[in-house]
Amino acid sequence: MREKVLILIMITAVALTSCTSKKDLSESKVKVKKELSEDKEQQYYYVFLEANRKKLLGDLNGALALFYQCLEINPNAAAAMAEISNIQEIMQNHEVAIKYAKNAVEIEPDNKWYNVNLAKLYIVSNQYNEAIKIHEDLKKKFNEDIEIQYNLAVLYTRTGKYENAIDV
């Protein structure tokens, strides 16, 4: 009898503990998501989707204007910054593309694709050392990604760091 009561208390304690941690976790997620009011969030997503529609239809100037509008609604929208960067690259505005790619990476530093895009822009602008820094960081985070390792080796070769290329 005593063992059953003890087991019941332990199960109850575990259940209560797990419920509170889930509650705390969901509350912290809600705080992050609620940076924008519900109205602003809906407005942002509508404009973001319209911008992507225009981009897919080939209206890059219209899409660009809408992505900038996204940033007016949510200045911390890394996805909108990344899209602006992509369009600016297509339009051969490499400095502006790098600026927005950097901003996207600053907001979401663990986003692999934002980092890859920034590194690509550095390569196009012949800023190989900057691209190497990004690829070294990506290699630490995504050690199993062969493409990152290959690109890092190529960058080392381009900058004359042959020993580093061989090590990679």
Side-chain angles (χ1 to χ4, degrees):
M1 178 76 171
R2 192 179 233 183
E3 291 174 4
K4 289 181 182 179
V5 171
L6 187 58
I7 291 173
L8 183 60
I9 290 172
M10 290 171 78
I11 291 173
T12 306
V14 169
L16 288 175
T17 306
S18 64
C19 287
T20 36
S21 31
K22 285 182 183 176
K23 181 180 177 187
D24 292 341
L25 181 62
S26 64
E27 285 176 4
S28 66
K29 285 183 181 178
V30 167
K31 288 178 186 173
V32 171
K33 288 183 179 180
K34 291 298 179 184
E35 289 177 2
L36 296 176
S37 68
E38 192 173 320
D39 233 18
K40 288 280 188 184
E41 191 174 357
Q42 287 179 351
Q43 183 183 7
Y44 169 80
Y45 285 121
Y46 174 78
V47 174
F48 187 80
L49 289 172
E50 277 300 303
N52 277 298
R53 187 182 68 78
K54 286 192 178 280
K55 181 181 170 188
L56 288 171
L57 292 173
D59 181 7
L60 296 182
N61 289 322
L64 196 56
L66 289 173
F67 283 125
Y68 281 121
Q69 188 177 343
C70 286
L71 291 182
E72 289 176 14
I73 298 166
N74 181 5
N76 293 319
M81 290 178 194
E83 291 297 334
I84 290 170
S85 174
N86 290 333
I87 292 173
Q88 292 291 356
E89 179 190 10
I90 292 167
M91 296 176 154
Q92 301 295 313
N93 298 327
H94 295 291
E95 287 181 31
V96 177
I98 288 173
K99 174 188 167 191
Y100 281 96
K102 274 184 183 178
N103 290 342
V105 168
E106 285 175 13
I107 292 171
E108 292 188 28
D110 293 331
N111 186 306
K112 176 182 172 180
W113 303 112
Y114 295 166
N115 280 282
V116 167
N117 182 52
L118 179 57
K120 179 184 67 171
L121 291 168
Y122 281 138
I123 292 167
V124 169
S125 301
N126 296 320
Q127 298 179 41
Y128 298 118
N129 290 327
E130 295 297 322
I132 286 173
K133 289 177 191 174
I134 292 172
H135 274 85
E136 286 173 341
D137 188 44
L138 286 172
K139 185 178 179 290
K140 290 175 190 170
K141 293 177 184 173
F142 306 100
N143 192 32
E144 300 299 316
D145 192 325
I146 304 269
E147 187 176 354
I148 289 171
Q149 294 176 22
Y150 175 78
N151 289 338
L152 182 57
V154 168
L155 286 166
Y156 281 141
T157 303
R158 282 192 178 177
T159 56
K161 299 176 183 174
Y162 301 111
E163 290 296 320
N164 291 0
I166 291 169
D167 288 343
V168 172

